[in-house]
Amino acid sequence: MKFTQAAGANPTDAMRVLGRPTDRIEGPLKVSGRATYAAEFDVPGTVYGVMVGATIATGRIVAIDAADARTAPGVLDVIDYENAGPLALGEDHNVPMLAGPQVDQLGQAVALVVADSFENARAAARLVRVDYAENKGAFDLAGAARAPNKPESSHGHGDFATAFAAAPVTLDATYTTPDHAHAMMEPHASIAAWDGDRLTLWTANQMVAWAQRDMAAILGIPCDAIRIVAHHVGGGFGGKLWVRADAVLAAVAARRLGRPVRVVLARPQMFNNTTHRSATIQRIRLGATPDGRLTAIGHDSWSGDLPGGSPEGAGSQTRQLYAAPHRLVEERLAELNLPESSAMRAPGEAVGMMAIEAAMDELAEKLSIDPVELRIRNDTQVDPEKPDRRFSHRDLIGCLREGAQRFGWSARNSVPGQVRDGRWHVGLGMAAAYRGNIVLKSAARVGIGGDGIVTVTTDMTDIGTGSYTILAQTAAEMLGVDLAQVVVRLGESDFPVSAGSGGQFGANSSTAGVYAACVGLRDRIAEAAGFDPATARFADGRIWSGNHSVALGEAAGGDGIEVEDRIEFGDLTKKFVQATFGAHFVEVGVDGDTGEVRVRRMTGVFAAGRILNPKSARSQILGAMTMGVGAALTEELVVDARMGGFINHDLAEYHVPVHADIPHQEVVFLDEEDPLSSPMKAKGVGELGICGVGAAIANAVYNACGVRVRNYPITLDKLLAGLE
C-alpha cells in the first residue's frame, strides 16, 4: 500500500480499541520473569565468552600473549584478529568490532576468551596480555572547536550576519553539553549458534533487518543465511540500533568452536566499547525587535566523533522552530579519538533544545517579555527556510497556552531570586518541545484462523515501548475483534521487515504496516463471505453486510486467510514539514546554602497527532522527561584527557535520576490528528518528551536564584559562587 495523500475516513476512526489507555499485553510475561531477553535463551551446549578491551585510545597492537589464558581452567578458545578470520565493516560502523592490528578507541575489543563457564572465562580474560604502540590522540572538544573547520552542514536563509548586526536587541551566548551514555538497563548481549552455514543470533537489538544486513556484511555471508531473534529488548535509546562487538564476537567464536556462544558486555565495557552521545559546544545568536519579533537566528554547533563519523544534529530544531527572516544553522565535526558517537534518544534535538530554549529565556528577560509570550509571537506555520512549505499540523501555541494554564504560570515572579521556601530558593521555568516526525516503510503479515484468532507477524521490536500492544490494538480495531483475540509475533528476521524501533518512527510506521495488511485481509474475508468489500463492516468478531453477518473464523475456513503487505510513504514529508510539539513547565528548588537543585513538579503538554495508546504514550513521555532531568542535573561522561576514554564507566558514577529525584509529573496530550503523517493519523511521541526539559530546568534554576548556568549539567559547584 502506498501512502501518497492525506488519510481520509478509515476503520481506525472508530477508536473502539485504539485511543484507549490499554495495559501492555506482554506485561504479565515481564513481571513474572517469563519474557525472554537475548542472554536468557536456553540453547543447549552454550559456552561463555568474555571480551578483552583495548587499554589505549589509538595506536597498534604489537603482540597478544594469550598463553596463560589458554591454559586456564575451562578455557576453550581465545580469539583475536589473527585467528578470527576476515571481518568487514558493517554499513553503519566507523570502526571494526574487533581491533587489530589498528586500535581505534579505548575499550575496543582486542580478544574474546571462551570457556565452559562465565566465571572461568572472566578469570582467564584477565590473563590476556597485550602490548601496544600507542599514538597521540585528540580528546578535547573545546580545543578542536578553536581550530577553523568547514561545517559538515550549513543551512541558511536571508542574510543572517547583516540582520544580526542591525538588530536592536541581540543575544550571543554559548552553551555546552557533555558526553552522554545510553545507560539502558539490559546490557549488550548475544547468543550465536551455527547450523552448518546458517547462523542464528539471539541479540539485544532495536532493528532486526539492520542487524541481519550488517552481520552478513561483517561475516561475508548471505543475508538469508542469518536469522536474528530479538523478542524483548530491555531498553536501547539508540544504543542498540546496530550490532556491536558482543554479536560479532559471539558469531565468530561459535563458528570456530562448533557450539553456541553467549557474550554479554560488562557494564563498564558498555560505556567505552559501544556508542554514546557526543558532547556539544553550541553558540546561539538571536536578533530581535523591541517587541520580541525575531529578525535573525544563528545556531553554530560543534560535536566530536571518530574519523568518518558525523556531527550531532544539534541545530536541527532551530531550522524550523521559530520564524525569523534571516537565519544560519551550521554543524561542525571535531575528529576525536574517543569511543564512537552515534544516535541517542532524540538525537540532535535533545541537546540542541537545551541551548536554543535557554537562549530564548535569556532573550525574553532582555526584552522584558514573558517567555511563553515570546515563543507565541515567533510561532510559524511554514518552514522558515522554505516559506512555501507549510507544516502538516502544528499546534505549539496550543501546547504553550494549555501548559501555562495547567501549571499556574501566571503566578511566576519574573524577577529572579524573589521566592523562598525556608532555605530553598524556588523558581519556575519553561521551554518548548520539538521533535521531527519520521516515517519509514514497514511490512506486516496478518492472518485469521478458523478459530477466529488473529495473528500479527512482523520483525518490529519491543524495546519497552509497548509495540506488542499497539500492534494488537491496530489489528483488533481494523478487524472488529477484542484485543484478547489477537496474537502478536515480533522480533525475528524471518518475519516481514518493519520500520524497527528508533527515531520516534516505530509505532506510527509499524502500525501503518499492520493497517495495510489488515486492509487486504478485510477484502479477502469479505470475498470469502460473499459480501461487497467496499460496504462490509467488521464488528463483534463478525463481518457484516446490512443485517447479515458471518463469524470471521467461519469466513476464514479451516485453512484460514493470511495477507502480507507493507506501507510505503510517498513525498508528503517533502511537501509538508512534519513534526511534533510540546511545552515543558518546571518548578525547582535551589538550596541557598549548598546549591543543591531539586525538581519539585513538572508539567508537559504535547501535540503529536492521534495518540494510539494514551497509557503507553504517557509512559514514554514520563521516561523521556526523567531522562531530561538527568541531562540537566546529573549526567556527564567525564573524559580522561590522558587515556581518551570515560572515567565514570558504571552506574555508580554515571548518575542517572532515581525515584527520589523525580517529583509529580503531569502529562497532557492535545486532541489532534495529522492525516498527512500516516493512515493512522498519528505521529511519533517517544523522543518528544526529552526535548526541552533540560532548558526548562535551567530556566527555572535561574528564576529561583539568579545564577545562569550555560554548561550542563547544572551541578552545585556551578551555582555556589553565584549564590555567595
Side-chain angles (χ1 to χ4, degrees):
M1 174 184 288
K2 296 186 182 297
F3 183 72
T4 58
Q5 59 186 11
N10 67 51
T12 67
D13 296 335
M15 301 290 277
R16 182 185 60 87
V17 183
L18 289 168
R20 308 267 178 174
T22 304
D23 292 344
R24 293 185 186 176
I25 61 176
E26 87 285 5
L29 294 177
K30 290 184 174 179
V31 299
S32 64
R34 290 176 293 140
T36 308
Y37 292 84
E40 299 176 331
F41 282 88
D42 185 10
V43 183
T46 297
V47 293
Y48 302 83
V50 169
M51 187 191 80
V52 178
T55 57
I56 64 169
T58 176
R60 295 178 64 82
I61 297 172
V62 175
I64 298 177
D65 181 0
D68 290 344
R70 290 184 183 279
T71 59
V75 170
L76 303 171
D77 201 358
V78 178
I79 297 166
D80 58 40
Y81 77 96
E82 292 183 319
N83 60 18
L87 297 174
L89 276 181
E91 185 172 315
D92 293 293
H93 294 151
N94 290 326
V95 299
M97 294 297 98
L98 179 62
Q102 179 178 326
V103 174
D104 300 287
Q105 66 178 63
L106 187 80
Q108 187 177 12
V110 296
L112 182 78
V113 177
V114 186
D116 58 359
S117 71
F118 168 72
E119 290 77 11
N120 282 339
R122 180 176 59 181
R126 295 169 180 162
L127 302 177
V128 176
R129 287 180 284 276
V130 184
D131 292 332
Y132 301 97
E134 187 173 3
N135 295 334
K136 181 177 175 59
F139 312 126
D140 178 23
L141 177 61
R146 287 191 287 269
N149 195 327
K150 182 180 178 181
E152 295 286 312
S153 67
S154 180
H155 301 275
H157 186 79
D159 185 347
F160 166 75
T162 300
F164 181 73
V169 182
T170 61
L171 175 77
D172 186 343
T174 298
Y175 305 83
T176 67
T177 62
D179 296 279
H180 289 150
H182 297 87
M184 70 289 285
M185 185 178 294
E186 179 197 26
H188 290 259
S190 297
I191 300 174
W194 292 82
D195 182 4
D197 293 331
R198 284 189 55 83
L199 168 66
T200 297
L201 185 69
W202 296 266
T203 187
N205 191 276
Q206 298 173 225
M207 308 290 290
V208 167
W210 294 5
Q212 184 186 43
R213 175 201 68 195
D214 284 349
M215 288 300 295
I218 293 168
L219 298 175
I221 63 176
C223 266
D224 59 11
I226 299 174
R227 176 175 175 246
I228 303 293
V229 180
H231 292 164
H232 298 279
V233 181
F237 312 121
K240 294 175 182 172
L241 286 172
W242 301 283
V243 293
R244 301 302 304 174
D246 57 292
V248 175
L249 296 177
V252 171
R255 183 163 57 181
R256 281 176 56 85
L257 289 168
R259 59 192 301 182
V261 175
R262 174 186 286 118
V263 178
V264 179
L265 297 190
R267 184 67 61 177
Q269 292 176 328
M270 291 170 60
F271 280 79
N272 282 306
N273 175 269
T274 68
T275 63
H276 73 290
R277 192 205 312 274
S278 169
T280 69
I281 299 171
Q282 303 178 57
R283 182 188 182 191
I284 307 291
R285 288 172 287 175
L286 302 176
T289 60
D291 65 351
R293 306 289 177 178
L294 289 170
T295 59
I297 295 179
H299 191 159
D300 192 20
S301 70
W302 279 92
S303 57
D305 200 357
L306 291 164
S310 56
E312 178 78 12
S316 56
Q317 73 291 317
T318 306
R319 296 177 58 192
Q320 296 167 335
L321 186 54
Y322 298 118
H326 304 282
R327 43 205 314 119
L328 180 64
V329 176
E330 295 187 332
E331 295 164 353
R332 290 174 167 80
L333 176 69
E335 291 189 349
L336 302 177
N337 301 109
L338 293 174
E340 186 175 358
S341 299
S342 190
M344 182 170 164
R345 195 177 196 178
E349 290 100 330
V351 289
M353 296 289 287
M354 294 171 75
I356 185 64
E357 286 300 282
M360 286 292 285
D361 197 71
E362 294 197 52
L363 181 64
E365 183 179 45
K366 274 195 168 190
L367 294 166
S368 298
I369 296 175
D370 180 82
V372 173
E373 178 60 28
L374 178 64
R375 288 164 173 81
I376 290 173
R377 291 184 190 182
N378 289 284
D379 187 49
T380 176
Q381 292 298 312
V382 300
D383 183 345
E385 293 180 358
K386 300 176 182 177
D388 59 342
R389 180 175 175 241
R390 67 178 179 86
F391 282 84
S392 61
H393 192 278
R394 172 181 171 127
D395 195 10
L396 174 59
I397 290 178
C399 296
L400 292 166
R401 287 178 171 160
E402 179 71 15
Q405 189 275 325
R406 287 176 174 268
F407 189 73
W409 180 256
S410 61
R412 169 182 176 267
N413 190 322
S414 62
V415 180
Q418 300 303 302
V419 179
R420 296 292 294 265
D421 179 10
R423 73 174 193 269
W424 295 91
H425 299 271
V426 179
L428 307 183
M430 59 79 52
Y434 176 100
R435 171 68 173 156
N437 183 59
I438 304 169
V439 287
L440 296 178
K441 63 183 178 182
S442 191
R445 185 165 58 245
V446 182
I448 187 163
D451 55 2
I453 297 298
V454 175
T455 302
V456 177
T457 305
T458 172
D459 79 352
M460 180 65 182
T461 51
D462 191 321
I463 59 174
T465 50
S467 298
Y468 280 99
T469 307
I470 201 67
L471 297 180
Q473 288 179 269
T474 303
E477 189 74 72
M478 291 292 293
L479 298 172
V481 301
D482 291 337
L483 199 62
Q485 290 177 258
V486 182
V487 175
V488 180
R489 303 167 67 217
L490 299 182
E492 295 193 25
S493 56
D494 296 336
F495 298 165
V497 178
S498 72
S501 295
Q504 195 173 271
F505 51 68
N508 189 25
S509 300
S510 62
T511 53
V514 172
Y515 170 94
C518 285
V519 168
L521 182 58
R522 285 165 60 101
D523 289 347
R524 290 277 303 278
I525 293 171
E527 292 168 0
F531 295 163
D532 179 4
T535 59
R537 296 182 297 109
F538 289 74
D540 305 319
R542 307 177 71 84
I543 180 171
W544 296 76
S545 179
N547 293 326
H548 301 286
S549 70
V550 177
L552 295 183
E554 181 182 343
D559 294 334
I561 300 175
E562 190 173 71
V563 171
E564 181 176 329
D565 200 355
R566 71 178 183 181
I567 193 76
E568 293 183 0
F569 295 91
D571 60 355
L572 291 177
T573 55
K574 296 180 180 179
K575 292 180 178 179
F576 301 91
V577 186
Q578 295 190 13
T580 57
F581 299 89
H584 291 284
F585 293 82
V586 177
E587 177 182 310
V588 305
V590 179
D591 190 303
D593 297 324
T594 68
E596 176 189 359
V597 178
R598 284 287 177 184
V599 179
R600 294 184 162 203
R601 60 188 177 102
M602 308 174 74
T603 293
V605 179
F606 305 96
R610 176 185 280 171
I611 303 301
L612 302 177
N613 184 345
K615 188 168 189 176
S616 58
R618 177 178 181 271
S619 177
Q620 283 295 290
I621 292 288
L622 292 176
M625 290 168 69
T626 300
M627 290 182 77
V629 173
L633 300 179
T634 63
E635 293 189 43
E636 177 180 15
L637 283 171
V638 179
V639 176
D640 186 332
R642 303 163 304 152
M643 300 296 295
F646 302 123
I647 298 170
N648 51 333
H649 45 230
D650 57 38
L651 292 179
E653 294 186 321
Y654 182 83
H655 297 147
V656 299
V658 297
H659 285 93
D661 298 315
I662 304 302
H664 173 70
Q665 297 169 310
E666 181 183 19
V667 175
V668 179
F669 295 110
L670 298 187
D671 186 14
E672 71 167 40
E673 297 177 350
D674 192 338
L676 292 167
S677 173
S678 79
M680 308 300 294
K681 305 175 185 178
K683 295 178 183 175
V685 73
E687 300 185 341
L688 176 63
I690 196 174
C691 299
V693 175
I697 293 172
N699 297 338
V701 168
Y702 175 74
N703 180 249
C705 66
V707 181
R708 172 67 69 178
V709 178
R710 299 191 181 101
N711 302 314
Y712 296 94
I714 305 170
T715 47
L716 56 87
D717 55 301
K718 298 170 185 174
L719 292 172
L720 282 173
L723 289 173
E724 290 172 355

